[in-house]
Amino acid sequence: MVSGAQAWWIKGHETIAEAAVAGLPDEVPAFFRAGAKGLAHSSGDPDRWKNPAAKHLRAAEAPDHYLDLEDFEGKELPPDRYKAIALLIELKKEPEKVGMLPYAIMENFDRLSCAFYDYRADPDNKAAQAKCLVYAGNLSHFTGDCVMPLHTTRDYDGRKQADGSIKQKGIHARIDGFPEKNEFKAEEIARDLKAKQIDDVWAYVLKTIKESHDQIDRSYELDQADAFAKPTDDSSKFIMSRCKAGAQFTMDLWYSAWQRSAKMPKPY
């Protein structure tokens, strides 16, 4: 996938983050549950880090938004970024083109867990509260990317034909902009969602990527029918289901990071 592709426009990411806050239980600190606007703003940061002037950051961070799952050729994804890079090199792939999305999710989950640990140690510390909101917002960007099916495939913006042409080019932008163009609301996305504690977060991340990957053909079918450019009940329900999956995934990881932080050892 090319590094400039986005999953959801920034407003779409913000709406999913706001929806995720609504499903959190009361045991999550009040400052966090009241921080929807700050969480929403920070959810857009990873796309802002693609600023062309920030060349070093853009090069390092751009692959974190996607995973071309086919390029692992059925191999089990290793548990950390550098083992994944080594495997991809062994498979004669270019890691920066294949993507590192699951590792970005896990690394930001760890950051949030550490921030919550610091908050527990000093709950009146405004700096500790602020970094919880920033790290959680950043994490929500990548969990949002994960549920956009075209961020799990090399066919991220059309399918290459035998003659070398690309069929359905532009599908990525048509899906990306759908929630914002059709004014999806956080309240609607959040309806009936409640956060769950996840014990094996890595397995949950892989499961969510697989579920998203399974929706690629459906994405292309709807686009073939022009249902993203001219919304239908089917396309609206499909994108809403993806947004709800993103909100559920996000709130589950936020809640699990909070629970995990109570049992973490001292950092040093």
Side-chain angles (χ1 to χ4, degrees), residues 154-169:
R154 64 166 72 104
D155 295 330
Y156 67 94
D157 194 31
R159 284 173 161 164
K160 192 172 183 178
Q161 304 300 294
D163 63 1
S165 64
I166 303 297
K167 186 177 181 181
Q168 292 176 252
K169 189 168 180 61

Side-chain angles (χ1 to χ4, degrees), residues 33-267:
R33 289 182 285 111
K37 294 302 181 184
L39 288 160
H41 175 80
S42 294
S43 74
D45 285 349
D47 277 344
R48 298 183 186 102
W49 297 337
K50 296 177 183 177
N51 190 304
K55 294 181 180 179
H56 295 279
L57 178 59
R58 183 183 176 101
E61 194 272 341
D64 287 352
H65 296 254
Y66 56 86
L67 184 79
D68 294 353
L69 192 58
E70 304 95 334
D71 284 343
F72 280 89
E73 298 180 359
K75 303 283 187 182
E76 182 177 348
L77 270 66
D80 73 59
R81 180 184 295 262
Y82 295 103
K83 289 183 174 64
I85 290 171
L87 173 59
L88 289 168
I89 291 171
E90 181 181 323
L91 293 171
K92 302 188 185 309
K93 309 294 183 184
E94 298 176 81
E96 70 277 12
K97 293 183 178 178
V98 175
M100 292 284 130
L101 176 58
Y103 307 103
I105 293 172
M106 291 304 303
E107 291 157 11
N108 282 282
F109 173 76
D110 281 348
R111 288 187 182 101
L112 178 58
S113 300
C114 292
F116 275 143
Y117 175 93
D118 287 348
Y119 167 80
R120 286 180 183 274
D122 190 4
D124 294 324
N125 187 326
K126 296 299 183 183
Q129 294 180 20
K131 68 181 176 182
C132 289
L133 295 172
V134 170
Y135 290 151
N138 294 167
L139 171 60
S140 76
H141 184 98
F142 299 110
T143 51
D145 281 350
C146 186
V147 300
M148 204 291 215
L150 302 186
H151 272 241
T152 69
T153 176
R154 64 166 72 104
D155 295 330
Y156 67 94
D157 194 31
R159 284 173 161 164
K160 192 172 183 178
Q161 304 300 294
D163 63 1
S165 64
I166 303 297
K167 186 177 181 181
Q168 292 176 252
K169 189 168 180 61
I171 182 177
H172 201 111
R174 289 188 286 274
I175 293 178
D176 273 356
F178 197 100
E180 185 171 336
K181 287 182 176 180
N182 292 279
E183 299 182 341
F184 280 21
K185 304 299 183 188
E187 296 80 7
E188 185 180 10
I189 294 172
R191 190 173 297 133
D192 299 325
L193 302 183
K194 296 296 179 185
K196 305 186 299 291
Q197 183 177 351
I198 306 300
D199 294 323
D200 189 341
V201 174
W202 176 243
Y204 188 43
V205 170
L206 296 182
K207 174 176 176 287
T208 304
I209 289 174
K210 177 62 166 57
E211 289 173 350
S212 189
H213 191 77
D214 287 344
Q215 298 301 317
I216 294 167
D217 286 344
R218 182 59 174 156
S219 299
Y220 275 94
E221 287 171 6
L222 288 166
D223 186 67
Q224 180 70 35
D226 207 26
F228 296 131
K230 299 175 183 177
T232 64
D233 285 345
D234 284 346
S235 61
S236 294
K237 288 176 182 177
F238 177 74
I239 298 297
M240 178 57 71
S241 72
R242 291 288 81 211
C243 290
K244 290 178 79 71
Q248 184 71 64
F249 189 33
T250 300
M251 68 176 72
D252 290 348
L253 263 58
W254 284 350
Y255 181 47
S256 299
W258 170 248
Q259 294 288 83
R260 179 193 187 200
S261 68
K263 302 173 184 177
M264 294 177 74
K266 293 181 178 180

